[in-house]
Amino acid sequence: MGVWTREEEELRLYDADAFFYFAGTLLLVILLPWTYILFHRLAWPRPKAEVDFDVRGKTAPRGSKVVRFKTEAMEARRQESLKAARAWPVRLRAGYNGLQLLGLLALWGVFAATVYRITLAPEELGHFDPYDILGIERGSELPQIKRAYRQKSLQHHPDKDRENPLAPAIFQQITKAYAALTEEGARQNYEKYGNPDGPNQMKVGIALHPAILGSKTRQLSFVVVFFSILFAVPMSLVLCCLRNPQRTPTGVSSQTIRIFNVALDVDVTAEDCPGIMAAADEAQGCRGPGPHNEEREGAELKKLIEAMAQVKPEPMMPGGLVTIRNGPPEFRGRRGVLRQRASQTSVMVEVFPVDKIPKGPEDCEMKEFPFADLWSVEPRLVCPFSDAPIRRVTAILWAHMWRLHHQMPASYVAELEQLLGVSERLGRAMVSICAHGKGDRTLHFEAVLGVLHFRKHLVQALDLEACPLQQLPHVARLPASKTPWPSIREVVSDPDKATELAERLKLSPEQRLDMQAFCRHAPRVELSLSVEVYDEEEIAEGDVLTLTVQLDRTHLAEDEAAGPVHAPFLRSPKFEEWWLIVMDDRSRRMVTAEVILNTAKLVTTKLRIQVPRHGDFRWSVHAICDSYVGLDARSTVTFCALKSEAVDREIFVHPEDANIKTLFEEIMEGLQPEEDSESEEDVQPAKPKVAAAAVRADEADDGSDSSDDEAEKTDEQKKKQAEEKATKKNDKNKKDEKHEKEEDGDEEEANEEKEDDDGSESTSSEDSTTDWGTIFRITGNTACWIYRRPFEEATDEEKLELKRGQFSVGTLIRAYVGGGRPEGWVELHLSDGSGWVQMTEDRAEELGPLMEQELCWVVQTATPVSMVNRWMRNRTKPLTVDDIEAVRGIDNDSVRWKVEEAARKKIGNEAFEKLMDQAFAKHAWRRRRLRKAMGHFQTQNGCIWHVSSGARLRGVAADGSRISDKLVVTDEVVQIGPWTLDEERPCSCIHWMQKEEKQWVWQQDKSMESRLKLAAAFDR
């Protein structure tokens, strides 16, 4: 404790008292709003936002009236959430209200103590009144003043009143009061300034108690704490925003996005979606932390599976597990495995023993049973993964869609509620990944429809094959009827149809009111479309087109907004989402997709799309709701896009703006060194850089002399010479680039430069003499290497340095033979330079010149679009469905557009559309033929394989090397090279056979680990 001066001591004492004023004010500012908010929460509790059915929704316009469903089921759900929220234990737990109440009471106690301490503070902190300090009345005589002073000074002298810490301050006040009443100068200062000491200098205090700053150690501690809080608060806010770097901005974890990217391919169907959603990290985390009673949960899951099997049993196929319901008494109630079919009405069953678990077929008894005596033990539970945790969550989702909530244990119901809570953002991520995936956009459109189909049925708790009318209140199932049932759209739009349906279902008056309430508030939307290019009157190829979509909810009034959807099986409110999917009807491909979350009556969305080609367009916009089945909308828009050369896109620059320099120009001029001049007369002001037309106009107006004209002519001549040189150089570069484009496969630019030559006679004569290359197919058992240059003899080290890539077996290549090239070598013109391939009889098969091949072979090679266009002109044979399929398989979107348009131009729109229909039919046929071979498999050597519906084979070996091939699919066989699929075997694995009776067995592998490993290998 240091030595304090009198002035410092006064300031210390002042701060000690002012501290309580400051603390009391701060506490009051905090306590008043906190008390009001907490009292409002406890007196009028509301459910949590995720279970509050009175919530407006984040996207509802401010001031709009939210329209809610008033059906019996939704009102019961609403009252249930309100009743749960009003229970006092819930009130105190919600938002830590109980802890807040304890903290609030404690702070009110601190505030009361602070107020009491303020009442003990000296009056110096208030107004200075000497009469009040001395305890005398105004107008008292001098003897009375002296007598009061002596009494007060003796009473509050620091030596007398040692127990009072405020005694020095009080004694100082008494002395000042006596001086103000007895001394002439002090009295004048008091009358003039209110203080006997006269005008004081302002002293600044920090209103901290002296105990906090009593020593240097305390002062240092206070500074450390102060700056820690100063930096800790903003840093904690930043860390809170970045608390989970593993999550994407949409709230979905990065691991889930990775799983979705692997699982959501073009072959995904609505039946696969429950299993894919169950594989997400968020879905797996809904089970809660352990430990778990595996035995009890296993028994609960078995009971649920048995209940699901009663609702929708698995079809009786070889390998399926069945229970014998009828038949001989010794077999009744036993289980077995279906084997081969014995007749049209019976099947051979491998019956399990009663007293032990079978170790093999020798422990079982084979017996024939009629199909009517058997019952499938397993439900028709589709899951693309074999991992047990994923299949368990998948079973819960399917049970929800089959409305088996009464069969679920309490733990599964709680897990289901959390699953449905995260399903909204998971479903949105699934649709987004399908909509923006790579590959054929037509197949991705089917995948998007499949995911949205699943989302609708998940919200409404409907089986994927259920009738949409089961969304209506009190319609659990529809009885068999010869008269067809109306569609859900007809019931919602036409009150007479709704009345007729209620009569057919024999609903009570109260149930009819619920149906009318549903039909009154169910979404009915209309779409309005328009297209434009900002600041342009015409649409041209390459422009960024703005597609304006206006969604109008016709069932709402102008000031209304849609409330939570009618979903009585959801514990939390769900708002509508409308996905806008733009389809190009001409090419049958999806263009883009966008989601609308706004619940207002009229919602306008602008989609910006680059026009990929010139010609006529017909786009269909599908508005698909993620919450209701059968209430989607569709509209079309047509427009014509011109060629980019046919539209003037010159940017007008006003003459007054020509003198404006850019920041870069000013910086560069500032960096240029100034030339030294011997006299001031040699220094000329710098001329601003302006357009030539603007310079000539200014000089004409100013009447410049002939010397300036001559200087200008000289500058113009020099400029013209420089431009001529640059033009010659550019022409030469363009010729070189044009040759490189033709040879290297730059399809887009080469096609743009040669489109005007289509149909000319000069090109046809040139085609007969030009060498466009020869088509080869790589054969053999191993890949074919690409070298940087040909060689006659080279060591293994030299060959390794010359290698630059490889072609897999079966790849088609376009190469050049002869013309001075070494014998046995062919030259490739690749995008990054030339390559050479050594050709032998066992390594390649020559198919012939490019112009003599089928289009399906031409587009599989690195052939420029210009050559494809010439192939179209010279080819006399008609195009086939195989050609169209190969064209649709081109990865580059721009190239695919141009080749499709060239084919359409060659054969006409009608013939092209007919071939497109045949191509889709062939794809569906191929998918049916590959039903047994499609999927993920693993072989004994550790290779992982995947066969897609497009007959593409991808594999990764145990050492990480990649394998790509294509299956041959015909009506008779399915082949991979020399291996033929054995389609007669009933087991789950597949067998590839060779003529020499060799067998190659693939075991089904649906594990998540294998899927991720295969995807990671091909993403490298």
Side-chain angles (χ1 to χ4, degrees):
M1 196 73 180
V3 179
W4 299 88
T5 64
R6 179 173 178 272
E7 185 177 356
E8 291 174 342
E9 182 68 18
E10 293 178 1
L11 188 58
R12 270 180 76 245
L13 296 176
Y14 178 85
D15 286 340
D17 297 322
F19 169 75
F20 293 101
Y21 282 91
F22 170 74
T25 304
L26 184 61
L27 284 174
L28 197 61
V29 170
I30 296 173
L31 288 174
L32 287 179
W34 189 7
T35 303
Y36 173 77
I37 294 173
L38 187 58
F39 177 76
H40 190 274
R41 285 182 180 178
L42 294 175
W44 298 280
R46 295 295 310 170
K48 294 181 180 179
E50 54 268 20
V51 294
D52 188 359
F53 285 84
D54 291 331
V55 70
R56 289 180 52 84
K58 298 180 180 179
T59 58
R62 182 173 298 179
S64 60
K65 177 184 176 183
V66 177
V67 178
R68 311 181 192 280
F69 286 89
K70 299 296 184 180
T71 61
E72 179 183 354
M74 295 302 293
E75 282 297 310
R77 185 70 69 192
R78 176 176 173 271
Q79 294 299 328
E80 180 184 349
S81 63
L82 288 175
K83 182 179 179 181
R86 288 170 181 170
W88 273 105
V90 177
R91 296 190 194 192
L92 295 176
R93 284 197 307 266
Y96 302 101
N97 288 340
L99 294 177
Q100 290 188 54
L101 183 60
L102 294 177
L104 190 64
L105 293 176
L107 285 182
W108 274 114
V110 173
F111 177 75
T114 304
V115 172
Y116 174 74
R117 182 60 181 81
I118 290 174
T119 60
L120 301 179
E123 297 296 332
E124 186 183 24
L125 297 176
H127 177 67
F128 180 80
D129 188 357
Y131 294 100
D132 189 31
I133 294 174
L134 295 177
I136 59 177
E137 297 180 356
R138 294 183 179 274
S140 299
E141 299 295 334
L142 182 60
Q144 295 177 351
I145 296 174
K146 289 181 178 181
R147 185 167 52 252
Y149 168 69
R150 282 196 299 269
Q151 291 176 357
K152 291 288 186 181
S153 60
L154 290 174
Q155 181 182 356
H156 295 287
H157 194 279
D159 295 337
K160 299 289 185 180
D161 193 9
R162 295 182 179 180
E163 296 181 358
N164 186 3
L166 300 177
I170 297 175
F171 183 77
Q172 186 179 5
Q173 289 282 81
I174 295 170
T175 304
K176 288 184 178 181
Y178 178 72
L181 297 178
T182 56
E183 297 179 5
E184 185 65 25
R187 186 172 66 253
Q188 292 178 0
N189 289 334
Y190 168 68
E191 293 175 355
K192 186 175 182 179
Y193 302 107
N195 194 325
D197 297 332
N200 293 335
Q201 295 181 354
M202 184 179 64
K203 296 179 181 180
V204 180
I206 56 177
L208 290 176
H209 200 276
I212 300 177
L213 304 176
S215 64
K216 290 186 177 180
T217 304
R218 293 181 180 180
Q219 294 175 11
L220 181 61
S221 302
F222 173 77
V223 171
V224 171
V225 172
F226 174 76
F227 282 101
S228 299
I229 296 175
L230 182 65
F231 290 102
V233 172
M235 286 301 298
S236 59
L237 293 176
V238 173
L239 294 177
C240 183
C241 296
L242 304 175
R243 63 186 181 276
N244 197 347
Q246 299 298 323
R247 291 196 175 274
T248 61
T250 58
V252 180
S253 68
S254 56
Q255 178 65 14
T256 298
I257 295 297
R258 182 187 175 197
I259 293 173
F260 286 172
N261 281 318
V262 170
L264 293 170
D265 53 18
V266 295
D267 297 329
V268 70
T269 61
E271 290 184 336
D272 299 326
C273 292
I276 295 175
M277 180 175 287
D281 272 4
E282 290 81 355
Q284 293 296 314
C286 292
R287 187 182 184 186
H292 300 281
N293 190 335
E294 300 296 339
E295 183 178 354
R296 178 178 58 83
E297 292 188 357
E300 292 175 347
L301 180 61
K302 181 180 178 181
K303 184 177 179 181
L304 178 62
I305 292 296
E306 291 177 354
M308 296 174 68
Q310 297 293 328
V311 176
K312 197 171 184 179
E314 183 75 24
M316 293 189 184
M317 302 293 291
L321 189 64
V322 296
T323 298
I324 303 171
R325 297 192 300 179
N326 298 317
E330 63 271 16
F331 292 103
R332 195 173 301 167
R334 294 169 63 179
R335 293 188 176 186
V337 179
L338 294 177
R339 293 310 178 190
Q340 68 272 14
R341 184 188 292 268
S343 64
Q344 293 294 332
T345 59
S346 62
V347 64
M348 299 301 296
V349 180
E350 196 175 86
V351 184
F352 296 157
V354 180
D355 54 349
K356 63 178 181 179
I357 300 176
K359 298 182 179 179
E362 62 275 2
D363 296 336
C364 302
E365 183 179 354
M366 189 72 68
K367 188 171 180 60
E368 181 179 354
F369 289 93
F371 282 108
D373 294 345
L374 304 177
W375 184 263
S376 181
V377 175
E378 298 179 349
R380 190 173 180 272
L381 192 65
V382 180
C383 181
F385 302 103
S386 59
D387 305 74
I390 299 177
R391 294 186 67 86
R392 187 185 67 85
V393 179
T394 305
I396 296 176
L397 289 175
W398 278 109
H400 162 72
M401 296 170 65
W402 294 348
R403 300 185 178 182
L404 297 177
H405 304 87
H406 58 283
Q407 299 284 353
M408 295 185 187
S411 59
Y412 281 21
V413 172
E415 184 176 353
L416 176 62
E417 291 179 4
Q418 296 189 40
L419 275 171
L420 297 176
V422 301
S423 65
E424 185 173 353
R425 62 174 182 268
L426 291 180
R428 195 179 302 143
M430 292 170 66
V431 178
S432 179
I433 289 174
C434 285
H436 301 92
K438 299 178 181 178
D440 194 342
R441 307 298 293 171
T442 304
L443 301 180
H444 278 286
F445 175 66
E446 299 296 330
V448 170
L449 293 183
V451 176
L452 287 173
H453 187 68
F454 158 69
R455 288 197 64 187
K456 299 175 182 182
H457 289 76
L458 184 67
V459 171
Q460 295 295 333
L462 289 178
D463 184 41
L464 296 178
E465 300 174 357
C467 177
L469 291 177
Q470 291 180 288
Q471 301 172 96
L472 296 171
H474 312 292
V475 183
R477 61 180 57 87
L478 295 175
S481 175
K482 295 182 179 180
T483 305
W485 297 98
S487 66
I488 184 69
R489 183 179 296 278
E490 293 175 344
V491 174
V492 168
S493 304
D494 189 355
D496 295 336
K497 290 284 186 181
T499 304
E500 179 184 349
L501 178 63
E503 292 176 354
R504 293 179 62 181
L505 295 175
K506 299 179 180 180
L507 300 181
S508 64
E510 293 79 8
Q511 293 174 340
R512 294 189 182 192
L513 290 177
D514 280 351
M515 181 179 290
Q516 292 174 5
F518 178 91
C519 297
R520 190 164 50 249
H521 300 313
R524 297 183 294 278
V525 300
E526 293 181 356
L527 297 178
S528 300
L529 310 177
S530 63
V531 293
E532 63 175 339
V533 176
Y534 285 156
D535 299 330
E536 301 293 344
E537 297 181 356
E538 297 173 324
I539 301 174
E541 177 185 8
D543 287 347
V544 177
L545 181 75
T546 300
L547 173 61
T548 303
V549 182
Q550 193 175 65
L551 185 143
D552 184 12
R553 293 180 169 92
T554 57
H555 63 288
L556 297 179
E558 293 297 332
D559 58 342
E560 293 180 342
V565 301
H566 185 272
F569 291 93
L570 293 185
R571 294 281 179 176
S572 57
K574 168 74 172 68
F575 290 88
E576 297 175 9
E577 292 181 14
W578 289 88
W579 281 88
L580 301 179
I581 302 177
V582 184
M583 284 289 295
D584 189 342
D585 294 343
R586 183 180 177 91
S587 63
R588 305 186 188 185
R589 279 189 173 84
M590 185 172 63
V591 180
T592 187
E594 187 68 30
V595 62
I596 293 179
L597 303 177
N598 198 319
T599 57
K601 171 181 170 55
L602 200 63
V603 183
T604 302
T605 302
K606 296 183 181 296
L607 306 177
R608 289 172 175 81
I609 308 165
Q610 188 172 17
V611 181
R613 58 172 176 81
H614 63 272
D616 295 329
F617 284 84
R618 179 185 172 86
W619 284 356
S620 296
V621 179
H622 300 258
I624 303 178
C625 182
D626 76 324
S627 304
Y628 296 101
V629 184
L631 297 178
D632 303 332
R634 180 177 178 269
S635 184
T636 59
V637 61
T638 59
F639 63 94
C640 180
L642 305 177
K643 289 186 177 181
S644 56
E645 307 88 29
V647 180
D648 185 13
R649 290 288 191 260
E650 182 180 358
I651 301 176
F652 171 75
V653 179
H654 196 276
E656 295 181 359
D657 297 335
N659 296 330
I660 301 176
K661 298 180 183 179
T662 63
L663 178 62
F664 178 76
E665 291 176 340
E666 293 181 354
I667 293 175
M668 295 305 297
E669 288 183 2
L671 294 177
Q672 292 179 359
E674 298 181 359
E675 298 181 358
D676 298 334
S677 58
E678 297 180 358
S679 63
E680 295 182 359
E681 296 178 356
D682 297 334
V683 180
Q684 299 292 336
K687 244 186 177 182
K689 296 182 180 179
V690 296
V695 172
R696 286 195 293 270
D698 291 341
E699 290 178 352
D701 293 340
D702 296 341
S704 58
D705 54 13
S706 59
S707 60
D708 292 336
D709 294 338
E710 292 176 1
E712 180 186 351
K713 290 180 181 179
T714 304
D715 293 338
E716 289 183 357
Q717 290 176 358
K718 291 181 180 180
K719 185 177 180 181
K720 187 178 294 185
Q721 292 176 359
E723 289 178 353
E724 291 176 356
K725 290 181 180 180
T727 302
K728 292 180 181 180
K729 186 175 181 180
N730 290 336
D731 292 342
K732 183 177 182 302
N733 292 338
K734 285 183 179 180
K735 291 180 180 179
D736 296 340
E737 291 175 3
K738 190 174 182 180
H739 177 71
E740 291 175 3
K741 290 168 188 173
E742 294 176 357
E743 298 298 322
D744 295 347
D746 192 343
E747 297 92 343
E748 297 183 30
E749 297 184 11
N751 181 48
E752 290 175 359
E753 293 175 2
K754 290 196 172 185
E755 279 181 346
D756 295 336
D757 297 335
D758 293 350
S760 61
E761 297 179 359
S762 59
T763 55
S764 61
S765 61
E766 182 183 352
D767 293 341
S768 60
T769 59
T770 304
D771 182 15
W772 298 108
T774 305
I775 303 296
F776 294 87
R777 178 186 284 115
I778 304 299
T779 58
N781 297 322
T782 59
C784 181
W785 289 100
I786 307 171
Y787 297 94
R788 302 182 186 278
R789 58 177 176 81
F791 56 84
E792 295 183 0
E793 295 182 358
T795 62
D796 293 340
E797 291 79 7
E798 292 174 345
K799 289 182 179 180
L800 184 62
E801 293 180 359
L802 291 175
K803 289 178 180 178
R804 58 171 300 181
Q806 63 179 0
F807 289 124
S808 60
V809 177
T811 304
L812 297 177
I813 62 173
R814 180 177 64 90
Y816 294 88
V817 185
R821 298 176 178 87
E823 185 177 355
W825 289 85
V826 296
E827 184 180 5
L828 307 172
H829 290 280
L830 305 175
S831 58
D832 54 351
S834 297
W836 295 82
V837 175
Q838 192 172 16
M839 290 295 180
T840 57
E841 293 182 358
D842 59 338
R843 297 299 297 134
E845 175 188 359
E846 183 176 349
L847 301 180
L850 174 71
M851 292 299 174
E852 298 179 4
Q853 305 306 313
E854 302 293 335
L855 180 62
C856 58
W857 291 359
V858 172
V859 297
Q860 294 183 48
T861 63
T863 302
V865 178
S866 59
M867 295 186 184
V868 176
N869 289 335
R870 298 195 177 194
W871 184 96
M872 294 282 186
R873 290 195 301 269
N874 297 330
R875 186 70 173 177
T876 56
K877 292 184 179 180
L879 298 181
T880 63
V881 64
D882 294 331
D883 297 334
I884 301 302
E885 276 198 309
V887 170
R888 294 186 65 81
I890 299 175
D891 293 333
N892 189 303
D893 291 337
S894 177
V895 174
R896 184 174 60 246
W897 282 107
K898 293 177 180 179
V899 176
E900 283 184 356
E901 290 302 311
R904 190 185 293 270
K905 182 178 179 181
K906 178 179 177 62
I907 63 176
N909 286 330
E910 185 177 353
F912 187 85
E913 292 296 329
K914 187 176 295 185
L915 287 178
M916 290 275 283
D917 294 336
Q918 296 176 10
F920 280 102
K922 187 174 182 181
H923 176 79
W925 164 83
R926 186 190 299 112
R927 184 163 188 160
R928 291 192 298 270
R929 289 284 292 121
L930 290 173
R931 183 177 302 173
K932 184 175 181 60
M934 280 175 54
H936 291 78
F937 305 90
Q938 190 171 21
T939 52
Q940 293 181 352
N941 58 358
C943 292
I944 302 172
W945 304 93
H946 173 237
V947 179
S948 67
S949 60
R952 294 182 180 274
L953 173 67
R954 296 194 310 170
V956 55
D959 58 356
S961 58
R962 296 175 295 183
I963 308 167
S964 298
D965 207 337
K966 192 168 185 179
L967 279 68
V968 177
V969 184
T970 64
D971 291 326
E972 293 79 20
V973 295
V974 177
Q975 286 184 327
I976 305 176
W979 300 93
T980 303
L981 177 65
D982 185 357
E983 302 182 58
E984 300 297 329
R985 292 181 182 262
C987 56
S988 59
C989 57
I990 61 176
H991 298 256
W992 300 93
M993 310 298 294
Q994 265 191 349
K995 294 181 180 180
E996 296 82 3
E997 299 300 327
K998 290 184 179 180
Q999 184 173 262
W1000 189 17
V1001 181
W1002 288 10
Q1003 300 286 344
Q1004 274 197 353
D1005 186 3
K1006 295 184 177 182
S1007 65
M1008 175 63 69
E1009 181 182 0
S1010 299
R1011 297 277 287 267
L1012 294 176
K1013 182 179 179 181
L1014 181 66
F1018 280 86
D1019 287 343
R1020 294 198 301 265

